[in-house]
Amino acid sequence: MGKGMTKAQTIEYLAQKTELNKKDVSRVLDELAALAYSEASRGFTVPGFGKLVIVDRAARMGRNPKTGEAIQIPAKRAVKFRLSKEAKDGVAAQMTRPEPSSM
């Protein structure tokens, strides 16, 4: 299995597909990320892709892997990404086809 696309590769690909310049595509991606971070507490949805949500994780007991000592892991709030059904179905369909050649 090959490595995923880098940000630069993603920008180049989107610039070619949309006929926008790379600088504009980069700014759109940066603004989308900034918007997602600021709106995550209310749930940020990317249509056809998924949703960022805040989840509460309960306190639990863990183990220090180096010493084996039991430790208390405190409760915390975390960001979770839930894939949409469309994204899951799209990825599942791609997995049945041969992998396309890289750029």
Side-chain angles (χ1 to χ4, degrees), residues 3 35 51 55-56 59 62 75 80-83 97 102:
K3 290 185 177 182
L35 180 61
K51 182 177 185 176
V55 294
D56 291 316
K80 183 176 182 178
F81 189 79
R82 291 187 188 152
L83 282 175
R97 294 187 216 154
S102 60

Side-chain angles (χ1 to χ4, degrees), residues 16-102:
Q16 289 175 357
K17 285 291 192 176
T18 62
E19 298 179 5
L20 296 171
N21 64 43
K22 291 180 187 178
K23 187 175 182 178
D24 290 341
V25 172
S26 178
R27 283 195 349 235
V28 167
L29 288 178
D30 291 342
E31 286 301 317
L32 180 63
L35 180 61
Y37 303 154
S38 67
E39 295 294 318
S41 63
R42 292 193 290 267
F44 180 77
T45 301
V46 180
F49 197 61
K51 182 177 185 176
L52 276 179
V53 294
I54 303 293
V55 294
D56 291 316
R57 298 226 169 116
R60 65 187 198 280
M61 291 301 293
R63 203 161 285 286
N64 180 332
K66 189 172 184 179
T67 65
E69 176 187 3
I71 58 172
Q72 177 67 29
I73 300 171
K76 67 177 181 177
R77 298 189 85 184
V79 178
K80 183 176 182 178
F81 189 79
R82 291 187 188 152
L83 282 175
S84 68
K85 182 173 179 350
E86 294 171 57
K88 289 177 187 176
D89 293 344
V91 170
Q94 289 293 323
M95 291 174 68
T96 61
R97 294 187 216 154
E99 193 171 304
S101 62
S102 60

